[in-house]
Amino acid sequence: FAGEPIRLVVLGDSAAAGFGVALPRETVGAVLASGLAERLRRPVRLKVLAVVGAQSIGLAPQVEAALEWAPDAAFICIGGNDVTGRISTRVAVGYLAAAVRALRGRRRHVPGPRDDPADPAAAAVAHAPLESPDGRRPDDRRGGGGWPHGLAR
């Protein structure tokens, strides 16, 4: 594809890092980058900063490194090691929310097909706020909000 590459960063734990996949093209990052490139008809530059064994408390250094790279989009997959490490959901979600806030605070708009002014429904989806499947935002303080992965746009 032609045009300026979209910069996609993947943060998180072993699942995000691709631990255990047979082929590099099967990693979460590669699948996301391929799908994003196909959907937006633009090249995608992928950077994986995920760390095998990471817990949500370890997202901050990954986020700092990501922000230095200035990504257009970020994907976070974290939580398995929080569960096995018996980290409370509230604490883990707090670290995830902080990571999402930091990434969203530096976001920039990436033009794509869903920006077509002739399609207001597509534009509404493209600019919808980031929410969990139960309707809560990742920074929801009611407890139990958030989810183990998300795409910060």
Side-chain angles (χ1 to χ4, degrees):
F1 299 110
E4 182 183 349
I6 296 166
R7 297 163 69 95
L8 171 65
V9 67
V10 174
L11 311 175
D13 57 20
S14 56
F19 185 75
V21 300
L23 300 170
R25 71 174 180 259
E26 297 172 345
T27 64
V28 170
V31 171
L32 287 171
S34 297
L36 192 59
E38 191 67 34
R39 176 82 173 151
L40 298 180
R41 314 299 289 166
R42 299 251 314 266
V44 174
R45 189 163 178 209
L46 173 65
K47 185 169 210 156
V48 178
L49 297 171
V51 176
V52 174
Q55 292 180 330
S56 57
I57 193 171
L59 282 174
Q62 293 181 39
V63 169
E64 288 176 27
L67 291 175
E68 288 177 15
W69 191 59
D72 298 303
F75 179 81
I76 301 172
C77 180
I78 195 90
N81 297 308
D82 291 314
V83 172
T84 59
R86 298 181 184 226
I87 307 299
S88 81
T89 302
R90 184 171 175 234
V91 169
V93 169
Y95 286 115
L96 175 60
V100 171
R101 277 194 303 273
L103 290 164
R104 291 186 86 188
R106 298 267 187 99
R107 71 181 173 184
R108 56 186 187 151
H109 183 69
V110 180
R114 295 196 295 176
D115 291 315
D116 182 356
D119 187 356
V125 170
H127 301 289
L130 184 65
E131 292 184 352
S132 69
D134 66 2
R136 296 184 194 180
R137 298 180 62 83
D139 57 355
D140 191 325
R141 301 283 183 219
R142 292 179 285 171
W147 56 104
H149 51 75
L151 183 63
R153 315 179 254 167

